[in-house]
Amino acid sequence: MTYKYNFNKLVNRLNSDSLKWNKYNNRNIIPLWVADSDFYSPECIRQELKKRINHGIFGYGIEPKNLSEIIVKRFLKFYNWKIDPSWIVYINGVVSGLNLSIRTFTKKNASVITYIPIYPPFIQSILLHHRIPKYIYLSHNKKKWILDPNILNSEMLGNEKLIMLCNPHNPTGSVFSYKELENILYFIKKHNLIICSDEIHCDLILQKKTKHIPFASIHPEAEQCSITFMSPSKTYNISGLNFAVAIIPNKKLRTKFILSKKKTLPNIDIFSFIAATTAWGNNQCNDWLTEQIKFLRKNRNILVNKINNISYLNILKPYATYLGWINCKNMKVTNPSLYFEKYGLKFSSGKDFGDSNFIRFNFACSRIILYKALERIEYAINKLFIS
């Protein structure tokens, strides 16, 4: 397969103040942990940022005039979700939005519901604000991780106000179906809950004939109880520019959220606004995204096929994201991530996501890196059981 853009290029990220790469700067370790890609951001985004740099003045910024219109058009085109511009609140990243939602809509010592395994800031945000986490465990069938509707009916304490969803799901890569989202809405209505939905990976759908469905889009009642977070950061590899949107149709919830934001978050900088406007509004970025999906789909298939042919490991095919959730339970080691580190590999530890039997593999990398990492995994497994 040929690609219009060179996603296979080895980009030297050492000494670039990269969180992902500089952690092991002086060691022969392949970093496959932090969820940013090793791909150049689209040329059109880089060019727009260069224009502003060449202008030479970097004072306080304001929202670009056409950004809200761009977002409204994009959400209708990509997700068949018609939103009103007044619903849009600009924030400094999805993690900021998660923390702000907990602070705004729950009280100290209240219970906050989330599914696990889950992206670690979900757990951290609950604990940092002295709330009590109530975990609902994902189950899986032979194909994917799923939201079991029977688990949704688990015993409630009565002090729950907020449920936190991640869809597409980090770390499993599941894309939840309309029926699964409908079951969540029923659960929310039954218990009078608010939902904040992290949908940052919504554009990174790898499975053909699969579409992302925003939770809020399934019904007017879903809109009225939801805060939806989206961002171009993962899609276009601009996570270092902290930008996201919170879509809040319910005016009462939106007013409270905006007030909390004013008390807590700084203004968004001009570079983040420029990058977001270009990412979501420039057709060249859509073209780049289409090619990236093809490349990531191939990487995913290579990863899944290889892992499922290595003894003691298995993985369900992620339908979205560039993250592989690998089951290492049969290795029978206390810390699989630490074990693989001895053989030159850094993965995210499953313990941080709620299950220490797993590792998370970031496959948004060149094929050279991918194949080298898979060789090291196989070697590490052979060394573990050779004696």
Side-chain angles (χ1 to χ4, degrees):
M1 181 181 291
T2 57
Y3 300 96
K4 186 175 178 179
Y5 303 94
N6 190 4
F7 297 103
N8 230 356
K9 184 173 183 177
L10 283 170
V11 182
N12 184 2
R13 299 185 66 191
L14 293 172
N15 303 311
S16 67
D17 299 320
S18 162
L19 172 64
K20 179 180 175 183
W21 280 85
N22 280 34
K23 185 178 177 70
Y24 300 98
N25 201 4
N26 297 315
R27 297 169 63 186
N28 182 21
I29 291 179
I30 301 173
L32 300 158
W33 59 305
V34 174
D36 64 13
S37 79
D38 287 336
F39 309 142
Y40 278 126
S41 299
E43 175 69 18
C44 53
I45 294 177
R46 289 184 279 137
Q47 287 300 325
E48 289 301 317
L49 291 173
K50 286 176 183 177
K51 285 180 185 178
R52 180 48 59 96
I53 289 170
N54 290 336
H55 179 264
I57 299 176
F58 315 123
Y60 295 117
I62 59 172
E63 172 197 333
K65 291 180 180 179
N66 60 336
L67 182 53
S68 292
E69 180 184 351
I70 286 170
I71 292 170
V72 170
K73 288 181 178 178
R74 182 181 181 87
F75 285 18
L76 184 61
K77 177 182 177 180
F78 278 71
Y79 323 117
N80 196 31
W81 184 23
K82 186 176 181 180
I83 68 168
D84 189 280
S86 66
W87 300 353
I88 302 169
V89 182
Y90 297 105
I91 56 174
N92 310 78
V94 169
V95 173
S96 295
L98 296 174
N99 282 275
L100 203 57
S101 295
I102 291 172
R103 183 178 299 178
T104 305
F105 301 113
T106 69
K107 295 180 179 179
K108 192 173 180 179
N109 296 322
S111 293
V112 177
I113 306 165
T114 190
Y115 294 88
I116 59 170
I118 195 63
Y119 177 49
F122 277 59
I123 300 170
Q124 294 161 5
S125 61
I126 296 170
L127 298 177
L128 284 171
H129 289 88
H130 306 288
R131 273 57 166 177
I132 301 166
K134 181 178 178 62
Y135 298 130
I136 299 176
Y137 291 84
L138 291 178
S139 58
H140 61 82
N141 53 31
K142 292 181 179 180
K143 290 186 176 181
K144 58 174 280 197
W145 292 82
I146 57 175
L147 301 173
D148 188 335
N150 295 317
I151 297 176
L152 286 173
N153 295 316
S154 58
E155 184 178 347
M156 298 286 281
L157 298 175
N159 68 343
E160 300 87 354
K161 183 63 178 176
L162 183 69
I163 181 169
M164 302 170 75
L165 179 68
C166 185
N167 177 40
H169 187 257
N170 177 2
T172 68
S174 274
V175 179
F176 299 127
S177 67
Y178 186 92
K179 182 62 177 176
E180 288 173 299
L181 298 177
E182 201 172 45
N183 286 333
I184 294 174
L185 178 58
Y186 174 80
F187 177 73
I188 288 171
K189 288 167 59 181
K190 181 178 179 181
H191 298 286
N192 192 29
L193 302 173
I194 297 167
I195 183 169
C196 64
S197 184
D198 169 6
E199 304 187 10
I200 196 170
H201 293 279
C202 56
D203 292 322
L204 295 170
I205 307 299
L206 307 183
Q207 192 72 5
K208 293 180 180 180
K209 298 182 181 179
T210 298
K211 290 188 178 296
H212 172 68
I213 305 170
F215 171 80
S217 71
I218 66 172
H219 194 276
E221 288 183 325
E223 281 187 343
Q224 290 304 305
C225 63
S226 65
I227 301 106
T228 303
F229 300 117
M230 291 185 179
S231 171
S233 61
K234 301 295 183 186
T235 307
Y236 301 102
N237 203 19
I238 50 175
S239 295
L241 297 169
N242 293 315
F243 174 89
V245 293
I247 309 299
I248 313 175
N250 184 305
K251 186 176 181 180
K252 184 177 179 180
L253 297 182
R254 188 169 66 251
T255 300
K256 290 184 69 174
F257 187 90
I258 291 172
L259 180 60
S260 290
K261 175 197 165 188
K262 288 179 179 178
K263 294 177 182 178
T264 310
L265 300 181
N267 293 329
I268 295 168
D269 67 84
I270 53 174
F271 293 106
S272 299
F273 271 132
I274 290 167
T277 303
T278 309
W280 278 344
N282 191 308
N283 285 330
Q284 290 180 29
C285 284
N286 292 333
D287 187 36
W288 182 93
L289 173 58
T290 299
E291 290 292 299
Q292 182 190 204
I293 293 296
K294 293 177 184 177
F295 188 85
L296 288 174
R297 185 182 294 129
K298 178 67 174 178
N299 274 14
R300 177 201 63 177
N301 293 343
I302 292 169
L303 173 69
V304 170
N305 291 338
K306 183 63 176 179
I307 292 298
N308 285 333
N309 280 288
I310 297 177
S311 299
Y312 309 105
L313 301 178
N314 63 80
I315 181 175
L316 292 175
K317 182 184 289 187
Y319 279 37
T321 79
Y322 45 69
L323 307 167
W325 187 235
I326 301 174
N327 188 344
C328 306
K329 183 177 182 180
N330 292 331
M331 288 175 62
K332 294 182 167 45
V333 297
T334 304
N335 190 330
S337 177
L338 195 60
Y339 175 78
F340 283 116
E341 195 172 309
K342 294 188 297 184
Y343 293 93
L345 296 159
K346 172 56 181 173
F347 302 115
S348 297
S349 173
K351 182 179 180 181
D352 298 332
F353 297 78
D355 194 329
S356 57
N357 289 315
F358 286 77
I359 56 172
R360 193 189 71 173
F361 186 127
N362 177 350
F363 56 85
C365 57
S366 69
R367 295 274 155 75
I368 294 171
I369 295 291
L370 178 62
Y371 282 121
K372 186 181 290 187
L374 291 171
E375 287 173 4
R376 291 187 182 186
I377 289 175
E378 189 167 35
Y379 180 79
I381 292 294
N382 289 337
K383 291 292 287 186
L384 179 64
F385 292 102
I386 203 166
S387 58

